[in-house]
Amino acid sequence: MQQSKYMKWFAVAATVGMLLILLGGALVTKTDSGMGCGRNWPDCNGSLIPKEITKEVFIEFSHRVVTGSVSFLILILSVWSWRKLGHIKEVKLLSFLALFFLVAQALIGAAQVLWGQGDFILALHFGISLISFSSVFLLTLIIFEVDQRFDADKVHMASKLKWHTIGVTLYSYIVVYTGALVRHTNSSLVCPDWPLCNNRAPSIIPSNFYEWVQMGHRIAAAMIFFWILYIAIHAIKHYKDQRVIYWGWIFALIIVSLQVVAGMSVVLSRLNIYLALSHSLFITLLFGLLCYMILLVSRSRID
C-alpha cells in the first residue's frame, strides 16, 4: 500500500531536520560557540530569548532551536510510523532508536553546557547523533517504499559480502569517533601538511598526543577508503544483477572519496568552515548509506 504523501513529506522534513542538527552541532564545535549561551540550559545567558546577540550566541541558540523543533518532528514521525507501518519488522526498532539517540545527544550537549565534559566523552556526541539520523533516514526510505522499487526484498547476499558490510559499518563508527576527537582536542592543525604530518620532515612516529590523534584519524580514514574500494570492486564484479547492492556500493565509494578529499582540503585550507562542514556532511551520508546496507544484510536470503 502506498503511503500518504503527507507522511512522505513529513519524513523528508524530519530527515533534513536531523541533517541540520548534525551540521549545526559541527558548526558549534568548529566555531567554538559551545559556550555562547554560558552555563545555562535550556535558557540562554539567563533568558529564554537571548538579549545580546553575538556570533557565538546566534550559532549556539539557533542549534538549540533547531534541535528542539526537530525533536517534535521525530516524535511525531516515530509514533506515526509505529502505528501505520508497525507490521514492517524494522519500523518499531528504528522509531525507538531515532527518538532514544536524539534525546541522548541532547542530554550530552546539555551536560557539556552545565558541567563540562571530557574530550573523549564529547567525541561521542556526533556519533550518537549519527545513529539517530540513520534511523530517521531508514524510516524515510521505508516510507517511500524504496525496497519495492529496487527489489530489495529479493536481495541475495553471499556471506563474504555480508561480513564485509557489517565490518566496514562498525569500523566507520571508529572513523567518526577519531574525527570528532580531532576537533574536540583541537588537533586539527597540529599537522600542517597532507598526507604526512610534515612532508618536509617526514616521521613515521608522531611526537606528541595531538599528532597521534590527527594521524590516527588519517590512518583510520585511509583504511575505510581502501576497504570500501575493495567492497565496491567486489560488488561490481559479482552483483550486477542486484541493482540496490551494485549501485549502493558505487555510491558508497563516491561518498568516501569525497570525504577523503574534503578532509585533505580542510587541512590545506587551514580549517575553511565550508569545507569542514562538507567533511561532516559526507561522513553523515556515508554512515546512513552503510546502515541501509546493513538493513539489506538482515533481509538477504540465506545462502
Side-chain angles (χ1 to χ4, degrees):
M1 181 182 296
Q2 289 191 343
Q3 305 310 321
S4 161
K5 65 178 181 179
Y6 301 109
M7 190 177 193
K8 289 181 177 180
W9 281 112
F10 203 89
V12 170
T15 304
V16 172
M18 273 305 309
L19 193 58
L20 291 176
I21 288 177
L22 281 160
L23 295 179
L27 183 62
V28 168
T29 301
K30 295 177 191 302
T31 57
D32 292 322
S33 301
M35 296 307 297
C37 288
R39 292 286 182 189
N40 296 273
W41 192 92
D43 61 312
C44 186
N45 293 322
S47 302
L48 186 60
I49 304 296
K51 297 177 181 178
E52 183 179 352
I53 304 296
T54 64
K55 183 186 76 171
E56 290 77 13
V57 170
F58 179 77
I59 292 174
E60 170 66 11
F61 185 71
S62 297
H63 178 56
R64 293 187 187 185
V65 170
V66 170
T67 301
S69 302
V70 174
S71 296
F72 284 107
L73 290 180
I74 303 302
L75 175 61
I76 295 171
L77 180 65
S78 297
V79 174
W80 197 350
S81 301
W82 189 296
R83 295 188 62 182
K84 291 291 185 179
L85 302 173
H87 59 282
I88 300 175
K89 63 179 181 180
E90 299 91 359
V91 166
K92 291 183 178 179
L93 175 62
L94 291 173
S95 298
F96 171 77
L97 292 177
L99 207 53
F100 177 83
F101 283 101
L102 179 63
V103 172
Q105 67 89 21
L107 291 178
I108 290 178
Q112 163 60 15
V113 169
L114 294 174
W115 306 295
Q117 299 282 344
D119 294 332
F120 288 87
I121 299 298
L122 281 177
L124 291 171
H125 194 205
F126 187 76
I128 290 174
S129 300
L130 267 183
I131 297 176
S132 183
F133 165 79
S134 299
S135 300
V136 175
F137 176 65
L138 294 185
L139 272 177
T140 300
L141 293 182
I142 290 173
I143 290 170
F144 273 83
E145 300 170 320
V146 169
D147 291 349
Q148 296 180 26
R149 299 173 193 273
F150 287 93
D151 297 322
D153 55 335
K154 300 177 182 178
V155 163
H156 178 77
M157 197 181 297
S159 296
K160 179 179 180 179
L161 183 56
K162 286 182 180 180
W163 285 113
H164 273 294
T165 301
I166 295 170
V168 79
T169 303
L170 293 175
Y171 179 73
S172 70
Y173 208 76
I174 296 176
V175 178
V176 169
Y177 182 79
T178 59
L181 197 59
V182 167
R183 294 197 303 269
H184 288 292
T185 57
N186 295 317
S187 302
S188 299
L189 292 181
V190 70
C191 291
D193 295 327
W194 194 93
L196 300 177
C197 191
N198 190 332
N199 293 337
R200 290 164 292 182
S203 175
I204 297 176
I205 301 177
S207 60
N208 56 61
F209 169 76
Y210 302 101
E211 288 186 0
W212 274 107
V213 171
Q214 173 63 239
M215 294 308 297
H217 175 61
R218 291 189 192 184
I219 292 170
M223 289 177 65
I224 196 173
F225 170 78
F226 286 112
W227 197 346
I228 290 178
L229 174 62
Y230 172 80
I231 298 173
I233 292 173
H234 178 75
I236 290 170
K237 286 183 177 180
H238 302 285
Y239 290 89
K240 290 182 179 179
D241 58 330
Q242 300 190 62
R243 293 183 302 160
V244 68
I245 296 177
Y246 179 84
W247 286 108
W249 285 111
I250 288 177
F251 281 123
L253 179 59
I254 292 172
I255 296 171
V256 78
S257 299
L258 292 172
Q259 172 73 4
V260 171
V261 172
M264 174 191 68
S265 301
V266 168
V267 173
L268 298 182
S269 69
R270 301 297 182 261
L271 302 184
N272 177 277
I273 190 64
Y274 299 106
L275 292 172
L277 289 177
S278 70
H279 191 58
S280 299
L281 173 63
F282 292 137
I283 194 61
T284 300
L285 297 177
L286 178 63
F287 188 76
L289 178 55
L290 291 177
C291 287
Y292 180 65
M293 303 310 284
I294 288 288
L295 186 146
L296 294 181
V297 168
S298 72
R299 291 183 174 183
S300 173
R301 291 175 293 173
I302 300 175
D303 294 340

